Amino acid sequence: MASAEASAKKVVLQEELPGRIERYSFDDARISAEALRLALRFGPDGLYTGSEMIARASLEVCPDDDPGYKPCGDRTIAAPNFLDNAGENLRRARALMEELAASTPPAGLEAAKAWCLEENGFVLALSEARLRYLRTWDPQTLRATFEVKSAGKVLEPGKLCPAAFEALSRAQNPVQRARVAAYEWHNCVNGAFRALEARRPYPTAAWKAFLKRYGITVRVEHDTD
């Protein structure tokens, strides 16, 4: 969560991240705190750059104190409300994707938005395929292809992950099948995506240029606890 505080010469915006705090010092005559907050969503550790989508699209996430979820049980396919709660996770993930698609990044961060759209789109599509499988137990749902436009490639799980499909055929009950989908299949397809050398990398140079353009400096304080 970001907060801003004024100093004699500059404004400091504070971003709290796992294990550290990042303090962004800037001149609000050059860029407003609101514009910087938006920019941080496209930054290397921002709302749109992957970690939030991974959390939202995780089928097993089920906060006990969130009224949007039914009783969690053991958070496996054996739990009576697992499919409903997994569906709620993907509803929230799609909402984030829609917010990202509709957003207008600050000038210079257009490439960051393109990266976020592809990264988040893949993470969401991977979870959607897995949920379709858990709802139908049809292994063909896990053979659906994934287009990676920046790399000019189409990932074909049926060809890339034969061991995962062999493991599915040997699984003897829903819990075992769900585990194979969550680990062997997921890790294989995700690994293939990450290994694409031609895939668009996060535009670190554009992010650094954005900070430099507005005279923004960053100080990182690591949590020592």
Side-chain angles (χ1 to χ4, degrees):
M1 181 178 296
S3 61
E5 59 186 43
S7 66
K9 296 181 179 179
K10 287 195 172 186
V11 175
V12 177
L13 190 149
Q14 179 174 296
E15 186 84 350
E16 297 182 10
L17 298 167
R20 69 186 190 279
I21 294 175
E22 295 181 351
R23 300 183 188 278
Y24 293 81
S25 299
F26 62 100
D27 182 347
D28 61 359
R30 299 176 65 181
I31 184 172
S32 68
E34 181 180 1
L36 180 54
R37 285 192 184 95
L38 174 61
L40 288 175
R41 292 182 172 223
F42 297 93
D45 296 299
L47 177 68
Y48 296 147
T49 48
S51 59
E52 179 67 19
M53 176 60 75
I54 291 172
R56 294 196 190 194
S58 175
L59 303 186
E60 288 74 23
V61 167
C62 183
D64 288 312
D65 58 352
D66 190 323
Y69 293 85
K70 297 180 180 179
C72 299
D74 65 0
R75 296 174 176 78
T76 73
I77 192 65
N81 297 317
F82 178 82
L83 294 179
D84 288 341
N85 289 331
E88 173 63 15
N89 287 334
L90 294 195
R91 184 191 69 76
R92 298 182 184 199
R94 292 185 195 103
L96 179 64
M97 194 68 186
E98 291 169 3
E99 177 186 313
L100 167 60
S103 67
T104 301
L109 295 181
E110 295 83 2
K113 177 177 178 178
W115 184 90
C116 292
L117 284 169
E118 182 168 89
E119 177 76 14
N120 289 339
F122 173 76
V123 170
L124 177 57
L126 202 62
S127 290
E128 287 177 331
R130 188 157 69 92
L131 184 56
R132 283 194 296 272
Y133 174 68
L134 297 179
R135 283 174 168 164
T136 65
W137 300 118
D138 180 359
Q140 292 304 314
T141 60
L142 297 181
R143 295 180 184 274
T145 58
F146 299 86
E147 183 179 8
V148 187
K149 291 183 178 180
S150 71
K153 300 287 186 179
V154 175
L155 301 180
E156 300 181 70
K159 294 181 179 179
L160 293 168
C161 309
F165 287 97
E166 290 175 9
L168 279 178
S169 68
R170 294 194 303 270
Q172 298 180 356
N173 56 59
V175 171
Q176 290 181 2
R177 290 194 291 271
R179 183 174 179 81
V180 171
Y183 292 97
E184 285 93 332
W185 177 84
H186 178 277
N187 291 345
C188 176
V189 181
N190 186 57
F193 176 75
R194 306 292 163 196
L196 286 173
E197 294 183 358
R199 185 169 65 90
R200 177 191 295 114
Y202 177 79
T204 302
W207 175 248
K208 290 181 178 179
F210 170 82
L211 297 177
K212 183 177 180 180
R213 182 181 307 118
Y214 292 100
I216 301 167
T217 59
V218 186
R219 188 173 83 249
V220 179
E221 298 178 3
H222 293 279
D223 188 352
T224 57
D225 292 341

